[in-house]
Amino acid sequence: DAGVIQSPRHEVTEMGQEVTLRCKPISGHDYLFWYRQTMMRGLELLIYFNNNVPIDDSGMPEDRFSAKMPNASFSTLKIQPSEPRDSAVYFCASSLGGPEGNQPQHFGDGTRLSIL
Amino acid sequence: SQQGEEDPQALSIQEGENATMNCSYKTSINNLQWYRQNSGRGLVHLILIRSNEREKHSGRLRVTLDTSKKSSSLLITASRAADTASYFCATAKTSYDKVIFGPGTSLSVIP
């Protein structure tokens, strides 16, 4: 079984540029999560979807961040314009259960984003 | 806000030894999970333990939960170099709250 697939694995871009991160969840999983991991703040939940509908985006840091899930097999996280403080590893995860943790979350290998 | 916190922050042991790491949390919980993260990879779910459970096993892993002390421990027996990773506990206060991940314990197993 293919796990959660994220692309690109690495992204280096200049401040002010638009960045788009992509995720393909595990087929059949109803929930999709976007996380950000930094040394300072650890792993933070940015937004999650249930059946392609955004449910809670309270973790999205600013209006520069947006996420979409046009269908059950694809989601994007976009940063526009990007800033150096957005540099982090961004993870996508999918699950049969919601954010309360009653089902395991399956993580992709992340996108390491560097904004110069 | 951070709910669970792992201890120690870093642990270094010889291959074959047992590794124990702990997670303490501040309020009552609905469940607690342990995840592993190898360098450059995503998190991998290890074990979920619910608030009414005291102990669970999975292979060389043993997880205990003491709700009176608000703490959990993860024991890895007969450690291997491949166990080198960061280990995170994740807790949810209720069945309506989002899971929050702790800062993690970095485990190094020396061959």
Side-chain angles (χ1 to χ4, degrees):
Chain A
D1 271 347
V4 175
I5 300 172
Q6 291 187 246
S7 65
R9 286 297 314 276
H10 304 273
E11 175 88 14
V12 181
T13 192
E14 292 189 345
M15 186 174 91
Q17 297 296 308
E18 178 180 291
V19 174
T20 300
L21 311 181
R22 297 173 176 80
C23 175
K24 177 179 170 57
I26 293 173
S27 177
H29 282 190
D30 295 327
Y31 288 86
L32 183 139
F33 308 86
W34 282 101
Y35 286 91
R36 179 172 68 176
Q37 187 177 40
T38 61
M39 290 294 292
M40 290 296 294
R41 299 175 67 88
L43 195 66
E44 303 173 283
L45 177 64
L46 301 177
I47 185 171
Y48 76 92
F49 295 81
N50 180 24
N51 292 323
N52 314 339
V53 176
I55 302 300
D56 184 345
D57 66 354
S58 60
M60 297 284 259
E62 298 172 36
D63 291 344
R64 299 183 296 105
F65 286 70
S66 62
K68 294 182 179 179
M69 192 166 185
N71 57 62
S73 58
F74 184 65
S75 177
T76 60
L77 177 67
K78 188 172 293 186
I79 308 173
Q80 166 65 14
S82 58
E83 297 183 5
R85 60 194 166 119
D86 302 330
S87 297
V89 182
Y90 290 81
F91 288 102
C92 174
S94 69
S95 178
L96 292 170
E100 75 288 343
N102 286 322
Q103 293 287 335
Q105 294 184 21
H106 299 261
F107 285 74
D109 281 336
T111 295
R112 183 173 295 275
L113 178 63
S114 297
I115 308 297
L116 307 177
Chain B
S1 62
Q2 190 166 290
Q3 162 73 325
E5 187 156 342
E6 298 87 349
D7 170 64
Q9 287 187 323
L11 178 62
S12 184
I13 59 173
Q14 295 288 328
E15 198 166 32
E17 294 181 337
N18 295 341
T20 300
M21 54 206 86
N22 304 295
C23 173
S24 58
Y25 52 91
K26 298 173 184 173
T27 65
S28 61
I29 57 169
N30 179 53
N31 62 54
L32 185 146
Q33 301 172 76
W34 285 94
Y35 284 80
R36 181 189 76 231
Q37 184 179 29
N38 292 90
S39 180
R41 304 296 299 273
L43 280 73
V44 174
H45 184 264
L46 298 177
I47 288 183
L48 180 152
I49 187 164
R50 303 189 189 280
S51 59
N52 61 352
E53 297 175 310
R54 292 296 167 258
E55 187 170 312
K56 290 190 84 168
H57 296 255
S58 177
R60 294 183 295 112
L61 306 181
R62 173 179 166 244
V63 168
T64 61
L65 180 64
D66 187 334
T67 53
S68 66
K69 295 181 179 178
K70 294 185 172 60
S71 70
S72 173
S73 67
L74 170 66
L75 168 68
I76 305 173
T77 59
S79 63
R80 306 166 182 169
D83 295 327
T84 294
S86 292
Y87 291 82
F88 297 87
C89 70
T91 55
K93 294 178 192 177
T94 72
S95 59
Y96 302 103
D97 285 299
K98 292 175 284 191
V99 160
I100 298 176
F101 289 81
T105 290
S106 177
L107 172 66
S108 295
V109 180
I110 303 166

